[in-house]
């Protein structure tokens, strides 16, 4: 994507800040340098085609080099970082363009023609090597490779977003909102999942490989498959609902947005409104210092309350959470950190040792257990679904009388509801990047 003026203006300060953070981390762990490798292309078995390239996010934190396999960055405390910019003489594939001034100015850029040019880097006696390329890992001492204390430190630092990162994520939210609107229009026009997906990508001129994750484009009961990946080409005979979980990227920073729509007014539309209201209350409760586990449990009580209000369960909301009944209808965590990775790093650790912060018992899929800090960006994505295998398991092994099965059977055609926003934590009112982005479309 093209860089907005406001974004590139923030970049210099971003690099200066992450230089400071890397320098501190290297010094604290006793390293002379870190060599961060982009990664290499992965070729499929018995073939000469490659999987879509995904750059090492540690390199992306420094530079927006999303397509630049085999580039590498040398980081040394107190010195300008040095970029080995891999630009092969290639006529099978288009090589990377020349470095662009808006990011190159912060680095000593050395264009290189050989993929292994980084081996000449002056790393010093005690260097760390960060990345996963095969040629890279086989060339260095295993205990210098991805040292866990160093990486934990950097991962924790990555949870505190700079102004540049926030600007990228706000723009990724804007793109996501534009594409979501196009997809909703396509749904209302009766298009298939496949065609809705095409409309989504066309609206923001991204191809699949540029999306942060595979779009989840789910009509009717497909909404109950949490990471539904098929893009069916047939339009169902009757349309009941549409769940769209899809984002966008700007300089490698992601948005991760879900909206659910009813095909017509009625009870399902009312349930979506109830979930939306609850989700907004959760977003409004996001503040620095909050233990995210408490908010997750509050979300479960909210979902259970809605199940009760719609007479789907017969127990109290509290009992439904305590017995695991609520998890049958809501089997994932309330949210996760977001950034260069959709499920961003360090959601479950306390310190450089990687000391785990445990999940609440009975909540194995929660990806974020930390106390929130200003600068964190995370998703708030409560869900409520009618998932056949989980319902069947409960019917066979749980208290089957706690569920109103007639209601469940009637609701199954809708699949489920998820509402997902991306929220920036501050010391005061949280900034909801997603609601802001949808509001921007209204003006
Ligand atoms: N789109 C994946 C997730 O919401 O976590
Ligand atoms: Mn999502
Ligand atoms: Mn998510």
């Amino acid at each position: 994507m093209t860089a907005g003026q406001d974004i590139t203006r923030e970049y210099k300060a971003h690099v200066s800040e992450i230089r400071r953070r890397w320098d501190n981390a290297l010094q604290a762990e006793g390293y002379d340098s870190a060599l961060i490798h982009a990664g290499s292309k992965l070729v499929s078995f018995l073939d000469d085609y490659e999987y879509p390239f995904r750059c090492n996010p540690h390199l992306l934190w420094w530079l927006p080099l999303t397509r630049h396999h085999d580039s590498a960055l040398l980081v040394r405390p107190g010195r300008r970082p040095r970029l080995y910019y891999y630009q092969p003489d290639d006529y099978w594939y288009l090589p990377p363009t020349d470095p662009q001034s808006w990011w190159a100015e912060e680095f000593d850029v050395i264009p290189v023609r050989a993929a292994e040019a980084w081996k000449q880097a002056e790393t010093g006696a005690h260097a760390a090597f960060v990345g996963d390329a095969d040629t890279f890992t086989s060339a260095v001492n295993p205990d210098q490779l991805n040292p866990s204390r160093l990486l934990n430190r950097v991962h924790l630092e990555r949870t505190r977003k700079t102004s540049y990162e926030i600007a990228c994520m706000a723009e990724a939210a804007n793109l996501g909102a534009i594409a979501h609107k196009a997809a909703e229009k396509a749904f209302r026009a009766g298009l298939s999942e496949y065609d809705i997906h095409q409309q989504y990508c066309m609206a923001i001129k991204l191809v699949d490989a540029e999306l942060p994750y595979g779009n989840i484009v789910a009509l009717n009961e497909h909404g109950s498959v949490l990471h539904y990946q098929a893009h069916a080409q047939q339009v169902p005979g009757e349309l009941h609902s549409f769940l769209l979980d899809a984002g966008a990227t700007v300089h490698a920073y992601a948005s991760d947005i879900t909206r659910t729509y009813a095909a017509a007014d009625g009870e399902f539309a009312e349930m979506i409104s109830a979930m939306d209201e609850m989700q907004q209350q959760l977003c409004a409760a996001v503040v620095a210092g909050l233990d995210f586990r408490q908010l997750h449990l509050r979300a479960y009580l909210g979902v259970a309350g809605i199940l009760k209000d719609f007479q789907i369960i017969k127990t109290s909301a509290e009992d439904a959470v305590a017995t695991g009944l609520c998890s049958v209808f809501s089997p994932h965590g309330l949210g996760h950190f977001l950034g260069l990775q959709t499920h961003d790093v360090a959601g479950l650790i306390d310190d450089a040792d990687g000391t785990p912060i445990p999940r609440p018992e009975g909540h194995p899929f929660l990806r974020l257990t930390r106390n929130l800090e200003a600068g964190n960006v995370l998703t708030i994505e409560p869900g409520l679904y009618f998932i056949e295998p989980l319902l069947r398991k409960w019917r066979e092994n749980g208290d089957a009388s706690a569920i109103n099965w007639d209601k469940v059977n009637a609701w199954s055609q809708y699949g489920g509801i998820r509402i997902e926003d991306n929220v920036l934590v501050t010391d005061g009112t949280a900034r909801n990047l997603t609601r802001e982005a949808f509001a921007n479309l209204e003006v």
Side-chain angles (χ1 to χ4, degrees):
M1 300 306 304
T2 50
Q5 277 288 314
D6 49 334
I7 294 182
T8 54
R9 260 204 300 271
E10 307 271 11
Y11 180 68
K12 195 179 177 65
H14 168 75
V15 174
S16 140
E17 175 61 14
I18 68 172
R19 267 182 77 167
R20 189 186 69 75
R21 297 186 195 179
W22 261 97
D23 286 5
N24 286 344
L26 288 169
Q27 279 162 346
E29 298 300 326
Y31 289 99
D32 299 331
S33 69
L35 196 288
I36 305 171
H37 192 282
S40 298
K41 295 206 278 188
L42 266 180
V43 181
S44 57
F45 184 53
L46 298 179
D47 206 338
D48 61 352
Y49 277 94
E50 293 116 14
Y51 296 100
F53 176 68
R54 289 252 177 184
C55 185
N56 176 357
H58 283 292
L59 185 64
L60 293 173
W61 200 31
W62 289 92
L63 286 148
L65 302 185
T66 50
R67 297 175 185 174
H68 301 62
H69 60 89
D70 295 298
S71 283
L73 184 72
L74 177 64
V75 180
R76 292 168 294 185
R79 303 183 59 176
R80 251 166 92 82
R82 175 170 295 172
L83 175 65
Y84 296 87
Y85 188 78
Y86 180 53
Q87 217 180 7
D89 280 321
D90 194 353
Y91 51 88
W92 291 102
Y93 294 101
L94 189 67
T97 51
D98 286 342
Q100 291 180 45
S101 61
W102 72 268
W103 54 259
E105 275 163 18
E106 311 308 318
F107 301 86
D108 289 334
V109 181
I110 307 178
V112 296
R113 302 281 178 245
E116 300 199 347
W118 60 267
K119 287 183 179 167
Q120 270 108 58
E122 292 155 20
T123 56
H126 198 200
F129 294 84
V130 178
D132 74 345
D134 269 356
T135 52
F136 177 60
T137 51
S138 56
V140 307
N141 192 329
D143 48 284
Q144 291 179 287
L145 185 63
N146 299 322
S148 62
R149 280 185 54 88
L150 177 67
L151 287 202
N152 286 335
R153 271 184 195 280
V154 174
H155 288 168
L156 287 165
E157 291 296 347
R158 273 180 45 196
T159 70
R160 299 159 194 140
K161 302 294 190 266
T162 64
S163 302
Y164 164 76
E165 293 179 288
I166 293 163
C168 288
M169 295 179 80
E171 191 53 28
N174 285 334
L175 290 181
I178 290 167
H180 268 258
K181 279 285 172 202
E184 183 194 356
K185 198 169 156 207
F187 161 65
R188 302 277 179 215
L191 269 56
S192 69
E193 292 167 353
Y194 174 85
D195 285 329
I196 295 171
H197 173 67
Q198 301 305 325
Q199 293 296 318
Y200 184 97
C201 293
M202 279 167 63
I204 50 175
K205 297 186 164 42
L206 291 181
V207 297
D208 284 63
E210 293 166 317
L211 297 171
Y213 54 91
N215 278 359
I216 298 165
V217 186
L219 294 173
N220 294 352
E221 70 280 2
H222 292 158
S224 71
V225 181
L226 299 183
H227 285 172
Y228 174 73
Q229 75 282 34
H231 292 164
Q233 297 195 5
Q234 255 193 331
V235 182
E238 250 184 277
L239 279 174
H240 306 295
S241 61
F242 174 41
L243 185 154
L244 176 65
D245 183 343
T249 51
V250 169
H251 302 317
Y253 286 90
S255 55
D256 176 8
I257 301 170
T258 310
R259 290 291 182 268
T260 310
Y261 307 96
D265 291 344
E267 259 199 324
F268 188 63
E270 284 164 27
M271 192 187 275
I272 294 173
S273 295
M275 283 291 286
D276 190 64
E277 195 178 313
M278 195 260 297
Q279 191 264 5
Q280 290 204 55
Q281 283 166 10
L282 296 169
C283 291
V286 167
V287 66
L290 179 73
D291 179 344
F292 192 72
R293 295 173 296 188
Q294 298 306 320
L295 197 63
H296 168 83
L297 293 173
R298 183 174 150 189
Y300 262 56
L301 273 177
V303 170
I306 291 169
L307 289 166
K308 179 79 178 160
D309 290 346
F310 283 80
Q311 297 165 0
I312 292 161
I313 59 170
K314 300 180 191 169
T315 67
S316 69
E318 289 74 12
D319 280 356
V321 174
T323 59
L325 175 60
C326 183
S327 305
V328 171
F329 296 91
S330 188
H332 63 74
L334 173 63
H336 50 83
F337 281 147
L338 180 69
L340 292 165
Q341 292 161 257
T342 304
H343 297 153
D344 217 9
V345 285
L348 299 164
I349 62 167
D350 197 29
D351 53 28
D353 286 325
T355 309
I357 307 172
R359 300 176 170 102
E361 211 177 309
H363 296 263
F365 299 115
L366 183 58
R367 295 176 193 270
L368 177 52
T369 53
R370 287 178 59 78
N371 285 348
L372 302 181
E373 292 178 73
N376 293 166
V377 178
L378 59 135
T379 67
I380 296 290
E381 49 178 307
L384 188 169
Y385 315 87
F386 302 93
I387 302 174
E388 199 277 328
L390 294 184
L391 288 161
R392 183 172 7 103
K393 208 159 133 195
W394 183 271
R395 193 197 267 266
E396 287 166 6
N397 306 320
D399 173 13
S401 69
I403 292 180
N404 186 343
W405 294 98
D406 289 343
K407 287 274 183 191
V408 163
N409 292 337
W411 284 103
S412 292
Q413 64 187 3
Y414 297 105
I417 300 170
R418 178 162 68 255
I419 317 273
E420 177 175 26
D421 288 345
N422 307 156
V423 178
L424 169 67
V425 183
T426 76
D427 291 318
T429 308
R431 184 176 161 201
N432 189 322
L433 303 177
T434 312
R435 300 274 165 174
E436 240 178 63
F438 279 107
N440 288 342
L441 299 181
E442 305 298 325
V443 291

